[in-house]
Amino acid sequence: MRELPAGPDAVVLDFSADESPSAAVLDAAVALRDAVERGELRDVADLVPSAHTLLVQARPGRGVDELGVRRALRRHACAGRGPDPRADEIVIPVVYDGEDLVDVADLLGISPAEVIALHSRTRWRVQFMGFAPGFGYLVADDAAPHPFERVGRRAEARTRVPAGAVAIAAGYSAVYPKASPGGWQLLGHTDIRLWDEHAEPPALLSTGRVVRFVDAEPTRR
């Protein structure tokens, strides 16, 4: 991990040299969030994770206690990674009828049914939010390489992906909260609402939450 200054009141933790940056960023975000909630990092105002970095933002004029950040990360590492007791699983039923399901199966050398089984038995965690309101980038909660890491984006993005589309790309999984352009591989769809501006909070997903996809039509396989 590298520590990169981002002005007087922020620091970027860069995990791009790590063999598993997704897991490292997520673990750091969870560790620092817990430290903030325990009052150990009182001046930290926000944590913004991305694919390879974590921005630690302090309140204006307070500066970042980088030593405190390191201590929080070390304590988390020494304690060992375990399930977050607050992270109740979000269960998302999926109808696996995606336009790219067969292509993904061919790419992996397995059947469409095996793709469905792989996607639904994986325990996913939200690494970070981005792209669109309510759009969570989900990574497999497993240190071992995931077969979906071999599945890249489509060569040509679609101009419109419907809301509720369940997709994968480069080891990530996601659900499109609203209709939008997109280049991910579509496996199916869900009726679960990911974003509701009238709800509190408006986003169903947040960093660190655990997600499981459930085959809504298993008897038809």
Side-chain angles (χ1 to χ4, degrees):
M1 181 191 76
R2 295 188 301 161
E3 298 172 13
L4 306 176
D9 299 312
V11 63
V12 172
L13 307 182
D14 182 0
F15 296 89
S16 58
D18 195 290
E19 292 182 1
S20 302
S22 298
V25 171
L26 179 54
D27 280 351
V30 170
L32 296 184
R33 180 200 65 193
D34 291 348
V36 169
E37 293 180 356
R38 290 194 301 268
E40 298 174 9
L41 297 172
R42 296 181 180 178
D43 293 329
V44 171
D46 200 5
L47 299 167
V48 185
S50 69
H52 298 281
T53 63
L54 174 62
L55 174 70
V56 183
Q57 176 67 57
R59 294 179 177 82
R62 302 305 296 268
V64 177
D65 178 6
E66 295 185 27
L67 183 60
V69 168
R70 294 190 205 105
R71 282 198 297 261
L73 293 177
R74 280 199 299 270
R75 276 195 296 273
H76 181 74
C78 292
R81 182 179 176 190
D84 185 342
R86 295 163 300 177
D88 295 334
E89 290 185 353
I90 297 173
V91 177
I92 299 180
V94 181
V95 177
Y96 285 98
D97 58 355
E99 297 177 43
D100 301 314
L101 178 60
V102 174
D103 289 341
V104 170
D106 290 343
L107 178 64
L108 295 177
I110 58 180
S111 69
E114 289 172 312
V115 172
I116 295 169
L118 177 60
H119 188 256
S120 58
R121 73 168 177 259
T122 299
R123 185 177 188 264
W124 300 92
R125 294 178 77 201
V126 183
Q127 184 195 350
F128 62 98
M129 306 294 291
F131 175 64
F135 190 103
Y137 287 75
L138 313 180
V139 291
D141 194 21
D142 190 340
H146 196 281
F148 286 160
E149 293 179 12
R150 293 156 42 199
V151 181
R153 295 171 180 266
R154 287 171 50 85
E156 183 175 343
R158 293 181 170 91
T159 57
R160 186 182 186 278
V161 175
V166 177
I168 60 169
Y172 289 101
S173 188
V175 180
Y176 282 78
K178 290 189 175 182
S180 67
W184 290 35
Q185 310 282 353
L186 304 185
L187 299 185
H189 75 276
T190 182
D191 293 330
I192 293 291
R193 192 170 184 181
L194 274 288
W195 175 261
D196 181 358
E197 55 267 30
H198 302 296
E200 182 56 44
L204 176 65
L205 305 181
S206 59
T207 300
R209 291 302 302 270
V210 177
V211 176
R212 284 195 185 273
F213 296 100
V214 176
D215 187 354
E217 299 181 330
T219 60
R220 299 188 185 183
R221 310 298 168 205

